[in-house]
Amino acid sequence: MSDSQSTASFSSKSAGKRLYEQALHQHQKKRENENRQEAHMHRPKSSLSLRDSLANESKKNNGCERLYALSTAKQMEGKVRREEIMRSNLPPPAPFYKTMPLSQATDMYDRSMIHLIHKEMKLMDAAHEREETYKSILIPDSGNE
């Protein structure tokens, strides 16, 4: 190993050790601060300071209530308007369809098929008069004449 390599490895080791010690020190400081804050939070307050803090808090609340009382009507109007927008953006309810009995449905189908067959027959007659061939999908063997 050359001198430059040994000094580079030594400097990287010392830098690593220095960073480790620095992180350890910061961690200890953080723990001490947390412990101080916890101790401060659990310290009982005197009744005088508690009474003063309650009085100050009620004064602050009165000021907030007075300031925000002016905008509560506007807030309610905005809420109503937002709800109306939400209701208007909803899709309309699905239409209600009554179901028909099967016998009525088959009768309707039969009538429509009879109508289509009569229509095809008229088209075939018109094509026969013009002496053209007309092949119908509904009536088999219609184009073989």
Side-chain angles (χ1 to χ4, degrees):
M1 223 197 230
S2 69
D3 288 336
S4 63
Q5 288 178 345
S6 64
T7 56
S9 67
F10 177 74
S11 64
S12 66
K13 286 180 184 178
S14 64
K17 186 175 181 182
R18 182 178 47 83
L19 289 173
Y20 175 75
E21 289 173 355
Q22 185 180 6
L24 190 61
H25 183 67
Q26 286 176 351
H27 185 68
Q28 287 174 349
K29 277 187 174 182
K30 186 177 177 182
R31 286 254 169 133
E32 289 173 4
N33 285 337
E34 288 175 356
N35 290 339
R36 270 192 236 127
Q37 287 177 354
E38 286 179 12
H40 180 70
M41 291 174 70
H42 294 297
R43 190 180 314 152
K45 294 182 178 180
S46 67
S47 62
L48 181 63
S49 65
L50 181 62
R51 197 177 316 131
D52 291 341
S53 66
L54 290 175
N56 287 338
E57 189 175 310
S58 66
K59 288 178 185 176
K60 289 179 187 176
N61 287 341
N62 289 338
C64 289
E65 288 174 13
R66 187 169 28 91
L67 287 173
Y68 286 110
L70 301 174
S71 64
T72 52
K74 289 286 187 183
Q75 290 175 1
M76 291 304 293
E77 288 174 15
K79 182 178 179 181
V80 168
R81 191 168 58 238
R82 283 191 303 275
E83 289 173 352
E84 287 175 6
I85 291 170
M86 289 297 289
R87 273 183 267 151
S88 69
N89 289 340
L90 289 176
F96 176 73
Y97 295 109
K98 292 192 326 186
T99 57
M100 69 172 61
L102 184 59
S103 60
Q104 187 179 355
T106 54
D107 289 343
M108 183 187 295
Y109 176 77
D110 290 340
R111 280 193 312 246
S112 64
M113 289 307 293
I114 290 171
H115 174 73
L116 283 175
I117 290 172
H118 283 296
K119 190 175 179 181
E120 287 289 317
M121 294 293 282
K122 286 181 184 178
L123 289 172
M124 286 173 56
D125 289 340
H128 183 67
E129 288 175 4
R130 286 180 282 168
E131 297 177 357
E132 295 175 1
T133 58
Y134 180 78
K135 175 112 174 102
S136 173
I137 299 172
L138 296 174
I139 302 171
D141 299 329
S142 60
N144 294 339
E145 295 178 10

